[in-house]
Amino acid sequence: MGNSYADAAAFRAAAVNGELGVDPDAAQAVLKKIRTGKDSVENLLRNAGALAEPPKLGANPVGNAIAEKFAQRADGGGDSYAQALQNLYNQYDQAEQAILAAMSHYHRIEQAAVDALSGNQEV
């Protein structure tokens, strides 16, 4: 399985560089789903800090160590829940930007074709 963040970034780069175009009417449903997912992840990110509350496992060294590790994993860096959500949000954002760029490119291609057919080409 590939790196989905890299895949989203490559898709966005191709769209921004005009290597692909997407019919805006066809892309609206996908764009809506991407934005819904992005909004959901953003909401989870806002509430991720609440997960960092250490669980009450008893006043002993093992319980304290487990509680501390749980809190770090919930709201810390690296492979934490918050970091995983941030990575997912970034992937949604990359996909959204790629679709918007591809839609814009499609409009430019369509307008160039209209101009060519109507004799409105720039010289």
Side-chain angles (χ1 to χ4, degrees):
M1 184 172 195
N3 179 333
S4 55
Y5 182 78
D7 293 342
F11 178 63
R12 181 177 179 273
V16 168
N17 292 326
E19 296 173 20
L20 60 99
V22 175
D23 179 351
D25 294 331
Q28 287 302 319
V30 172
L31 195 55
K32 183 178 179 182
K33 288 180 182 182
I34 288 171
R35 287 178 173 159
T36 298
K38 187 177 169 185
D39 290 345
S40 295
V41 171
E42 186 175 31
N43 188 42
L44 290 170
L45 273 168
R46 274 194 297 272
N47 297 316
L51 293 175
E53 184 68 31
K56 295 174 182 31
L57 300 174
N60 61 67
V62 173
N64 291 339
I66 291 172
E68 179 63 26
K69 188 171 187 173
F70 177 86
Q72 288 173 352
R73 285 257 171 99
D75 197 32
D79 61 352
S80 72
Y81 175 71
Q83 186 60 50
L85 285 174
Q86 186 61 55
N87 291 344
L88 181 57
Y89 180 86
N90 291 342
Q91 290 171 22
Y92 272 122
D93 190 56
Q94 290 282 335
E96 178 185 31
Q97 296 307 314
I99 298 255
L100 292 172
M103 289 167 60
S104 176
H105 183 65
Y106 182 91
H107 280 302
R108 288 192 303 273
I109 293 169
E110 193 173 57
Q111 187 60 51
V114 167
D115 290 347
L117 292 172
S118 64
N120 293 334
Q121 291 179 321
E122 293 183 22
V123 183

